Amino acid sequence: MRALVYTGPHHLELRTEPEPVPGNDEVLVRVEAVGICGSDMHAYHGHDARRPAPLVLGHEAAGRIASGPRAGERVTVNPLVTCGTCPTCEAGRPHLCPSRQILSMPPRPGAFAELVRVPERNLVAVPEHLPIAHAALAEPVAVSYHAVNTGARLLGQPLPAARCLVLGGGAIGLAAALVLRMQGAARIYLAEPHAGRRETVRRAGDFVCYAPGDGDEPSDGSIDLVIDAVGAETTRAAASRLVRPGGVIVHAGLLPGEAGFDVRRITLQEIIVTGTYCYTPTDFRATVDALASGRLGALDWIEERPLADGPRAFADIDAGRTAAAKIVLRV
């Protein structure tokens, strides 16, 4: 089968790989669309020891089941594989399973390929009217869905009464803003330094989109809920400065480093800071429903390219040459 293989920092090759062999609880999925995630970029830069070369990356996938009794069914893939029996799984939080695996990390090759093996329980059916590239957005949008709901539970006030800020206009940040709008948030700010992405965000929804430091930035201490979809030192510092006393910061980004939080202000103002990671199966299914029903808008903020253009797509993302919030590769 054809596969896009990460062979070393800043290098990908389209080559022929052996077809995967499904295990007892698994099926093959013929991949039709797969998104490029920030974690794929971390691996591409050589910054993710969990993803050693050579490796097939990619976990934001959708396509059709190619083996077993459900063959031909149109599905999107929940890439988190968990044990289902540990206390965390039994408590309804399988995304925090200590033994979890994810497509694109050994021992599970990813979905930048024509075929990928997946436990059948990880597949969610998608309707025929939903474009397959949009179905591949289920995974990143589910991350945002979980992040927003995590913050809303801690906020202590209804979202329609809250002033909300998203830091970062990539797929996770833009999707978080769209989920906030779907959940009824009345005032949504989004900070993004890339001019092209700001224009993409403005087309996607009625958000106050600004470059950090410009005149549209909200005043210090004025934001009820901050979702940091970047997770850099600068965004942690901005979140600490902009959130109101007693407000909530949801930290979703996974960039390296720990600096930036104003721990003194967080302590003196009783600011709640929480991490958020991935999603539950319930979150994932709810996200698919939201995508299919159109409640998250037109989803026209992606760019589609063929799998063979994968190396160029990675290079373009790295160099900031694309204004799209997400590049989806068609297989």
Side-chain angles (χ1 to χ4, degrees), residues 4 16 50 57 72 97 106 151 158 160 163 238 244 253 275-276 282 298 300 308 316 330:
L4 187 66
T16 300
R50 303 170 303 169
L57 300 171
C97 174
R163 288 165 60 92
R244 67 161 170 80
T276 178
T282 300
D300 55 0
D316 286 347
R330 297 299 301 269

Side-chain angles (χ1 to χ4, degrees), residues 152 155-164 183-186 224:
L155 191 55
Q157 69 183 98
L159 276 178
R163 288 165 60 92
C164 302
Q183 305 281 39
D224 299 298

Side-chain angles (χ1 to χ4, degrees), residues 236-237 239-241 249 259-268 271 273:
R236 288 190 284 266
S240 301
R241 173 173 54 84
I249 299 171
F261 280 125
D262 184 343
V263 177
R264 180 175 175 82
R265 182 167 191 267
I266 287 168
T267 302
L268 293 175
I271 293 164
V273 179

Side-chain angles (χ1 to χ4, degrees), residues 19 41 46 82 100 111 130 160 165 170 196 216 222 227 235 293 298 309 320 323 328 330-331:
E19 290 191 1
M41 296 303 301
T82 60
R100 67 180 179 259
L130 183 66
L165 167 64
D216 288 328
S222 68
I227 296 177
T235 56
S293 68
D309 198 38
V328 176
R330 297 299 301 269
V331 182

Side-chain angles (χ1 to χ4, degrees), residues 288-314:
V288 173
D289 288 343
L291 291 168
S293 68
R295 286 178 288 142
L296 291 169
L299 306 175
D300 55 0
W301 37 268
I302 66 173
E303 179 183 347
E304 297 182 46
R305 300 192 188 185
L307 183 67
D309 198 38
R312 186 194 299 265
F314 271 76

